[in-house]
Amino acid sequence: MEKFVGLNVRETVERVSALLGCSPTSAKVAVYFDKHDTLQHLRKEFLVPKIADLPLSDLSVVDGTKECIYLVGNSLGLQPRMARKYLEEELDKWAKTGVHGHTEGSRPWAWAENNIEDLMAQVVGAKTEEVALMNGLTVNLHLLMLSFYKPTTVRHKILLEDKAFPSDHYAAESQIRLRGFDPQQSMLLLSPRPGEETLRTEDILEVIEKEGESIALVMLSGVQYYTGQLFDMVAITETGQRKGCYVGFDCAHAVGNVELKLHDWGVDFACWCSYKYLNSGAGGLAGAFVHEKHKDTIKPVLLGWWGHDLKTRFQMNNVLELQPGVSGFRISNQPILLVCPLQASLEVFNMTTMQALRRKSILLTGYLEHLIQHYYAKDPAKSHKPHVHVITPSDPQQRGCQLSLSFCHPVRKVFQELEKRGVVCDMREPSVLRIAPVPLYNSFSDIHRFIKILGAALAAYQQP
C-alpha cells in the first residue's frame, strides 16, 4: 500500500481500480485492499459472531456467508480470543489455591491491573505512572471532577457539549449542585451553528476565549459519541489552560480509535471506558489519566485503601501513604475477572501501534464514505431515490472510524433489515445509524458487503 501514500481515498480507489482493470465500486478493489493490509492478521485474534447465532437474523435472506458484518465496535468491541483462556486461568487458580491467588501466579489479584497499565499507557500516549485502571467511566469522572472542579463565585462554569453523552451531562450537573451552584447558571453548553450538525473548532475556542474567566473546567469528549466528530484536543487544551481553566476529556469513543498523546498535549485529566474499541466486555474496567505535572498538587477528595502505597498497604496501620498522581485516586481492589479480558485486548494492541491502526482506519472509513457517496448521495433529479447523508465530518482529521449516517426517513426498518441480513450496527432515533469499521478486525470486504446489503435494506423499506 506504500505506493499510494499521499493520495486521498478517492484517488487511491481509482488507482487501484485502474490497476485491476475494474470499476472503482468492484468487490475486487476491496479484495486488493485486504490482500495488502499489513494488519489483517489481527482479525484472527477476535471472535466474530456467526449470523446464525444473532437474535434477529433471517438466514433465508443471507448470501451464505457465516460471519456477520460487525460494525458496532463503537458500542461493544468483539471478544478477544484469549479472554476466555485468561478468565479460566483465574477461575482455576481460585478453585485450587483460594486466597493465595492474591499474590501467586502470573496475574496476582492484589496488583493485577498494575501489570497491564504500561500497555494501556501506550494506547493513550501517556507515561505508565499517569494511568490507572479502575472502576467505571462515570465513577472515575466523578472522582476526577471532585479534585479538578474548584468553583469560585467568579470562576464556576463547566463547559461541555449541549448533546454530551447523558452520563457526562448528569455528572457535571450533579458536581455543580454538590458545590452549591445552579446548573442553569454554571453549565455552559456548546451547540453547532444553526443548520449544522457538528461543532466548529473555532467556535469552541471563541467561547473559551470569551468566557474563560468564568470557566473552571472545560470537559469535552475526545470523539463525540453521536456524530463521531473528533475534537481538536490540542487546541482546546492550549486555549483552556491559557485562560486559567482545567481541561479534561471523556475519551470513551477516542481511546483505541484515534491516536492520543495525552501527556505531550498537556491534558490535565481524562477518563475512558474499555468495552468499546478496547474490547474488554460489557461493563469492563475503566481507565483514568492525570498528567504528571499535577502529581504533587492535585489530591483525591475521596480516599480508599487502594490509594495507599502498595509496599505498605497491607500493614493496615490506618496511616495513609498516598500514592502520587492518579494512583492515589484508586479506591478499592479491582475485579480480577475484569482485568483478564482487558489484558487479552491490550496484548493485541501491543502487536501493532496506534499509528498503524490509524493509517488503516483512515483508508477503511474513507472507503466506506466513498461507496456511500457513490451509491446513496442525494440526487435532486431523482427525489424518489433513497439517499444517505453522512453527518460525521468529511475531514479524516476530524473523525475517528465511526460514520453517523442520517436517512431521509425513520431508520428503524432499515436497521431491522440490516440486522436480518447479518449486519450488526447501532441505531439512534429518529434517523441515524452509527457505523464503525474497526481497523483491528474489520476488513475492506466487510465494507463492500455492507454497502451491498444496505441497498437491499433500503429497497425493502420502499416496499409497501
Side-chain angles (χ1 to χ4, degrees):
M1 301 294 280
E2 289 77 9
K3 67 180 75 173
F4 303 113
V5 171
L7 300 179
N8 63 36
V9 173
R10 181 181 295 276
E11 291 172 333
T12 302
V13 171
E14 290 175 350
R15 291 281 186 91
V16 170
S17 63
L19 179 68
L20 299 175
C22 65
S23 164
T25 60
S26 170
K28 293 180 181 179
V29 173
V31 171
Y32 178 92
F33 283 146
D34 285 335
K35 181 179 178 181
H36 293 84
D37 175 15
T38 58
L39 301 180
Q40 61 177 313
H41 62 288
L42 298 178
R43 181 182 175 104
K44 68 178 177 21
E45 302 295 333
F46 296 89
L47 300 174
V48 182
K50 300 293 190 291
I51 294 176
D53 294 330
L54 298 177
L56 300 179
S57 65
D58 181 353
L59 297 181
S60 67
V61 296
V62 176
D63 61 7
T65 307
K66 292 184 178 181
E67 289 184 342
C68 76
I69 305 175
Y70 197 84
L71 297 171
V72 72
N74 59 324
S75 184
L76 183 70
L78 290 179
Q79 183 182 128
R81 190 170 293 275
M82 294 298 291
R84 182 184 297 273
K85 177 178 183 295
Y86 292 168
L87 285 165
E88 289 178 346
E89 285 175 355
E90 296 313 309
L91 290 172
D92 189 53
K93 183 169 70 173
W94 179 22
K96 292 181 177 179
T97 69
V99 71
H100 297 289
H102 281 97
T103 56
E104 301 299 325
S106 61
R107 208 176 288 108
W109 305 336
W111 56 85
E113 73 275 14
N114 301 144
N115 291 347
I116 58 174
E117 283 168 344
D118 59 334
L119 298 178
M120 185 75 263
Q122 293 175 38
V123 174
V124 299
K127 295 184 177 181
T128 302
E129 59 269 25
E130 295 175 318
V131 169
L133 294 172
M134 58 186 190
N135 309 314
L137 188 158
T138 307
V139 173
N140 289 341
L141 179 57
H142 273 299
L143 293 173
L144 293 167
M145 290 179 74
L146 282 170
S147 294
F148 281 94
Y149 178 51
K150 301 178 178 180
T152 66
T153 54
V154 174
R155 189 187 287 273
H156 57 88
K157 294 179 182 178
I158 298 178
L159 179 67
L160 68 161
E161 309 141 61
D162 181 43
K163 297 298 183 183
F165 191 81
S167 197
D168 289 6
H169 185 102
Y170 305 151
E173 188 174 305
S174 62
Q175 289 283 338
I176 289 168
R177 285 203 179 97
L178 182 64
R179 313 307 170 84
F181 289 86
D182 180 359
Q184 293 295 323
Q185 304 299 320
S186 297
M187 289 181 71
L188 184 56
L189 303 177
L190 293 165
S191 298
R193 296 183 184 185
E196 298 185 3
E197 292 152 322
T198 56
L199 291 163
R200 297 191 187 189
T201 300
E202 60 264 33
D203 291 348
I204 299 174
L205 302 184
E206 182 180 351
V207 171
I208 297 174
E209 290 285 359
K210 181 180 178 181
E211 303 282 350
E213 304 301 328
S214 66
I215 298 173
L217 176 63
V218 176
M219 179 64 220
L220 298 177
S221 306
V223 172
Q224 218 283 337
Y225 82 99
Y226 184 81
T227 66
Q229 179 182 11
L230 169 61
F231 290 119
D232 189 337
M233 299 170 70
V234 177
I236 292 168
T237 300
E238 290 176 350
T239 304
Q241 292 175 345
R242 188 172 66 250
K243 298 296 290 187
C245 316
Y246 284 121
V247 181
F249 291 94
D250 175 350
C251 290
H253 287 266
V255 65
N257 176 12
V258 297
E259 191 175 357
L260 298 174
K261 298 181 180 180
L262 297 180
H263 174 82
D264 291 348
W265 295 343
V267 172
D268 291 306
F269 71 90
C271 50
W272 56 90
C273 58
S274 66
Y275 50 81
K276 302 181 190 298
Y277 298 104
L278 293 184
N279 318 297
S280 70
L285 194 62
F289 163 90
V290 173
H291 198 281
E292 67 173 0
K293 63 189 174 185
H294 298 303
K295 69 178 182 179
D296 297 319
T297 55
I298 299 292
K299 305 294 184 182
V301 173
L302 300 179
L303 301 173
W305 77 310
W306 229 243
H308 189 111
D309 191 318
L310 177 61
K311 298 184 184 66
T312 56
R313 181 182 296 160
F314 292 94
Q315 292 180 6
M316 318 293 273
N317 60 11
N318 287 359
V319 178
L320 179 62
E321 295 179 29
L322 187 68
Q323 297 182 78
V326 72
S327 293
F329 285 77
R330 304 172 194 270
I331 300 292
S332 301
N333 53 320
Q334 307 310 319
I336 185 61
L337 299 184
L338 296 186
V339 173
C340 294
L342 180 55
Q343 177 184 341
S345 179
L346 290 176
E347 287 175 349
V348 180
F349 276 93
N350 198 44
M351 296 176 186
T352 181
T353 64
M354 284 307 304
Q355 293 93 330
L357 287 168
R358 180 66 168 148
R359 284 195 298 270
K360 177 181 174 181
S361 179
I362 289 173
L363 182 58
L364 190 65
T365 305
Y367 181 57
L368 169 62
E369 182 185 40
H370 175 69
L371 292 179
I372 289 172
Q373 290 173 341
H374 177 85
Y375 285 109
Y376 305 116
K378 187 174 183 179
D379 185 351
K382 300 178 181 177
S383 58
H384 65 283
K385 178 184 175 183
H387 62 270
V388 178
H389 172 56
V390 181
I391 68 174
T392 308
S394 59
D395 178 4
Q397 302 308 313
Q398 296 184 54
R399 68 186 186 199
C401 71
Q402 172 185 317
L403 292 186
S404 295
L405 311 183
S406 176
F407 292 77
C408 54
H409 41 59
V411 76
R412 180 168 294 277
K413 184 174 180 182
V414 176
F415 174 74
Q416 291 171 342
E417 292 293 336
L418 288 170
E419 289 265 321
K420 185 189 300 184
R421 290 166 171 79
V423 174
V424 184
C425 58
D426 181 71
M427 178 185 69
R428 296 285 162 165
E429 296 281 13
S431 60
V432 167
L433 290 181
R434 300 189 306 165
I435 307 297
V438 176
L440 273 176
Y441 48 72
N442 281 124
S443 68
F444 292 88
S445 294
D446 283 342
I447 300 305
H448 195 274
R449 284 178 58 210
F450 166 72
I451 291 295
K452 181 179 177 182
I453 293 172
L454 178 59
L458 290 171
Y461 177 88
Q462 290 184 300
Q463 294 174 4

